[in-house]
Amino acid sequence: MKLTITNQKTGGDLLLVSGEGSFDRLFYTRDKDRKYFTIAWNHGEKQAITIDGEAHDFMPHTILPLMFDQSFHFERPTDIVAWQFNREFYCIVDHDAEVSCVGFLFGMGDKLFINLDDIAQHKLKLLLNVFIEELKTSDNIQNDMLLMLLKRLIIVVTGLARSKYIPDQKLYDDRLDVFRKFNLLVEANHRTEHSVNYYARRLNKSPKTLSNIFALYNQQTPSQAIQARILIEAKRLLCYTKKSIKQITYELGFEDAAYFCNFFKRHTSLSPLEFRNSKDLAPAGK
């Protein structure tokens, strides 16, 4: 089943996919013009999900938010229910005050596997049924109803993620907002800005303050978070494009190819070329 709605005025898309054997995403090639955020739910048995060329266990009754620029495929896509939407349908940045998910669900630079207990599964099933009903009902309030449902879904999933990844209620304060905004800024600027000082200035905080906040929410330091995001992008470009090492060097904000190669090898134990050759993925695109 694949149900969709498109707002002809804005170009906004909302998709609900369930039980589809061919459900996957190739951002740098086939899907590069369809910038869809995805919320995937594995309601079957444990299976593998491959994200940007790396395999992960996708456990039963687990939700996984995925960014629009991630490529992925599932071992058993027929066991997946997925909601997909673009920013023209619902801009999570513009509406962050409503859902508080930017830089947390989307933009963390990590994979958030969110386990669902029986109560959460029941809640998601109810929401899913209403989504299906509304997507099949074409009337003059359909778009408004689906926007409300999507917002509700994001709020529910964000709440579940916070309960797992930030269980201490005392940490739900302004420091979490700084942490989320840092992640969002890195997502937007990692190709050009590599220093913690840049992000500290943008947030009106000192680098020391950022380090203290990260110590509350994350094992990484701010610098490590920036480097991790750059590495993710480097791996994507090596896996899914035919761009040369020199092109990737400049695209990721490095001035010298040798320095980029040393950076990449220091963090992965492989040179960029060795990493590219180690992957079974056939690069495509330019």
Coordinates of all heavy atoms in Angstrom, one line a residue, residues 39-41 63 81 83 116-131 152-154 156-157 160:
I39 N 9.9 8.6 8.6 CA 9.7 8.0 9.9 C 9.3 6.6 9.6 O 8.2 6.3 9.2 CB 8.7 8.7 10.8 CG1 9.1 10.1 11.1 CG2 8.5 8.0 12.1 CD1 8.1 11.0 11.8
A40 N 10.3 5.6 9.9 CA 10.1 4.2 9.6 C 9.8 3.4 10.8 O 10.4 3.6 11.8 CB 11.3 3.7 8.8
W41 N 8.8 2.5 10.7 CA 8.4 1.6 11.8 C 8.5 0.2 11.4 O 7.8 -0.2 10.4 CB 7.0 2.0 12.2 CG 6.3 1.2 13.2 CD1 6.9 0.3 14.1 CD2 4.9 1.1 13.5 NE1 6.0 -0.3 14.9 CE2 4.7 0.2 14.6 CE3 3.8 1.8 13.0 CZ2 3.5 -0.1 15.1 CZ3 2.5 1.5 13.6 CH2 2.4 0.6 14.6
I63 N 10.9 2.4 16.0 CA 10.8 3.5 15.1 C 12.2 4.1 14.8 O 13.0 4.2 15.7 CB 9.9 4.6 15.7 CG1 8.4 4.2 15.8 CG2 10.1 6.0 15.0 CD1 7.7 4.5 14.5
V81 N 6.3 0.1 7.9 CA 5.4 1.2 7.7 C 6.2 2.5 7.8 O 7.0 2.7 8.7 CB 4.3 1.2 8.8 CG1 3.4 2.5 8.7 CG2 3.4 0.0 8.7
W83 N 6.2 6.9 7.1 CA 5.6 8.2 6.7 C 6.7 9.0 6.1 O 7.8 9.1 6.7 CB 5.1 8.9 7.9 CG 3.9 8.3 8.6 CD1 2.6 8.6 8.4 CD2 3.9 7.2 9.6 NE1 1.8 7.8 9.2 CE2 2.5 7.0 9.9 CE3 4.9 6.5 10.2 CZ2 2.2 6.0 10.9 CZ3 4.5 5.5 11.2 CH2 3.2 5.3 11.5
L116 N 9.3 0.7 21.0 CA 7.9 1.0 21.3 C 7.4 0.0 22.3 O 7.5 -1.2 22.0 CB 7.1 1.0 20.1 CG 7.5 1.9 18.9 CD1 6.5 1.6 17.7 CD2 7.5 3.3 19.3
D117 N 6.9 0.4 23.5 CA 6.3 -0.5 24.4 C 4.9 -0.7 23.9 O 4.4 -0.2 22.9 CB 6.3 0.0 25.8 CG 5.6 1.4 26.0 OD1 4.8 1.8 25.1 OD2 5.9 2.1 27.0
D118 N 4.1 -1.5 24.6 CA 2.7 -1.9 24.2 C 1.8 -0.7 24.1 O 1.0 -0.6 23.1 CB 2.1 -2.9 25.2 CG 2.8 -4.3 25.1 OD1 3.5 -4.5 24.1 OD2 2.6 -5.0 26.1
I119 N 2.0 0.3 25.0 CA 1.1 1.5 24.9 C 1.5 2.3 23.7 O 0.6 2.8 23.0 CB 1.3 2.3 26.2 CG1 0.8 1.5 27.4 CG2 0.6 3.7 26.1 CD1 1.1 2.2 28.8
A120 N 2.8 2.5 23.4 CA 3.2 3.2 22.3 C 2.8 2.6 21.0 O 2.4 3.2 20.0 CB 4.7 3.4 22.3
Q121 N 2.9 1.2 20.9 CA 2.4 0.5 19.7 C 1.0 0.7 19.5 O 0.5 1.0 18.3 CB 2.7 -1.0 19.9 CG 4.2 -1.4 19.8 CD 4.3 -2.9 20.1 OE1 3.7 -3.7 19.4 NE2 5.2 -3.2 21.0
H122 N 0.2 0.7 20.5 CA -1.3 0.9 20.4 C -1.5 2.3 19.9 O -2.4 2.5 19.0 CB -1.9 0.7 21.7 CG -3.4 0.9 21.7 ND1 -4.3 0.1 21.0 CD2 -4.2 1.9 22.3 CE1 -5.5 0.5 21.2 NE2 -5.5 1.6 21.9
K123 N -0.8 3.3 20.4 CA -1.0 4.7 20.0 C -0.7 4.9 18.5 O -1.4 5.5 17.8 CB -0.2 5.6 20.9 CG -0.4 7.1 20.7 CD 0.4 7.9 21.6 CE 0.0 7.7 23.1 NZ 0.8 8.6 24.0
L124 N 0.5 4.2 18.1 CA 0.9 4.4 16.7 C -0.1 3.7 15.8 O -0.3 4.1 14.7 CB 2.3 3.8 16.5 CG 3.5 4.8 16.6 CD1 3.5 5.7 15.4 CD2 3.5 5.6 17.9
K125 N -0.6 2.5 16.2 CA -1.6 1.8 15.3 C -2.9 2.7 15.2 O -3.4 2.7 14.0 CB -1.9 0.5 16.0 CG -0.8 -0.6 15.8 CD -1.2 -1.9 16.5 CE 0.0 -2.9 16.5 NZ -0.3 -4.1 17.2
L126 N -3.3 3.3 16.2 CA -4.5 4.2 16.1 C -4.2 5.3 15.1 O -5.0 5.7 14.3 CB -4.9 4.7 17.5 CG -5.5 3.7 18.5 CD1 -5.7 4.4 19.8 CD2 -6.8 3.1 17.9
L127 N -3.0 5.9 15.3 CA -2.6 7.0 14.4 C -2.6 6.6 12.9 O -3.0 7.2 12.0 CB -1.3 7.6 14.8 CG -1.3 8.9 15.7 CD1 0.1 9.3 16.0 CD2 -2.0 10.0 15.0
L128 N -2.0 5.4 12.7 CA -1.9 4.8 11.4 C -3.2 4.6 10.8 O -3.4 5.0 9.6 CB -1.1 3.5 11.5 CG -1.0 2.7 10.2 CD1 -0.3 3.5 9.1 CD2 -0.3 1.3 10.4
N129 N -4.2 4.1 11.5 CA -5.5 3.9 11.0 C -6.2 5.2 10.5 O -6.9 5.3 9.5 CB -6.4 3.1 12.0 CG -5.9 1.7 12.2 OD1 -5.3 1.1 11.2 ND2 -6.2 1.1 13.3
V130 N -6.0 6.2 11.3 CA -6.6 7.5 11.0 C -5.9 8.1 9.8 O -6.5 8.7 8.9 CB -6.5 8.5 12.2 CG1 -7.1 9.9 11.8 CG2 -7.2 7.9 13.4
F131 N -4.5 8.0 9.7 CA -3.8 8.4 8.5 C -4.4 7.8 7.3 O -4.7 8.4 6.2 CB -2.3 8.1 8.6 CG -1.5 9.2 9.1 CD1 -1.0 9.2 10.4 CD2 -1.1 10.2 8.3 CE1 -0.2 10.2 10.9 CE2 -0.3 11.2 8.7 CZ 0.2 11.2 10.0
R152 N 1.1 15.5 15.1 CA 0.9 14.6 16.2 C 1.8 13.5 16.2 O 2.4 13.1 17.3 CB -0.6 14.1 16.2 CG -0.9 13.2 17.4 CD -0.8 14.0 18.7 NE -1.0 13.1 19.8 CZ -0.6 13.4 21.1 NH1 0.0 14.5 21.3 NH2 -0.9 12.5 22.1
L153 N 2.1 12.9 15.1 CA 3.0 11.8 14.9 C 4.4 12.2 15.4 O 5.1 11.5 16.1 CB 3.0 11.2 13.5 CG 4.1 10.2 13.2 CD1 3.8 8.9 13.9 CD2 4.2 10.0 11.7
I154 N 4.8 13.3 14.9 CA 6.2 13.8 15.2 C 6.3 14.1 16.7 O 7.3 13.8 17.3 CB 6.5 15.1 14.4 CG1 6.6 14.7 12.9 CG2 7.8 15.7 14.9 CD1 6.7 15.9 12.0
V156 N 4.6 12.6 19.2 CA 4.6 11.4 19.8 C 6.0 10.7 19.7 O 6.6 10.3 20.7 CB 3.6 10.4 19.3 CG1 3.8 9.0 19.8 CG2 2.2 10.9 19.6
V157 N 6.6 10.7 18.5 CA 7.9 10.0 18.3 C 9.0 10.8 19.1 O 9.9 10.2 19.7 CB 8.2 9.9 16.8 CG1 9.6 9.4 16.6 CG2 7.2 9.0 16.2
L160 N 8.8 9.9 22.7 CA 9.4 8.5 22.9 C 10.9 8.6 22.9 O 11.6 7.9 23.7 CB 8.8 7.6 21.9 CG 7.3 7.2 22.0 CD1 6.9 6.5 20.8 CD2 7.0 6.5 23.3

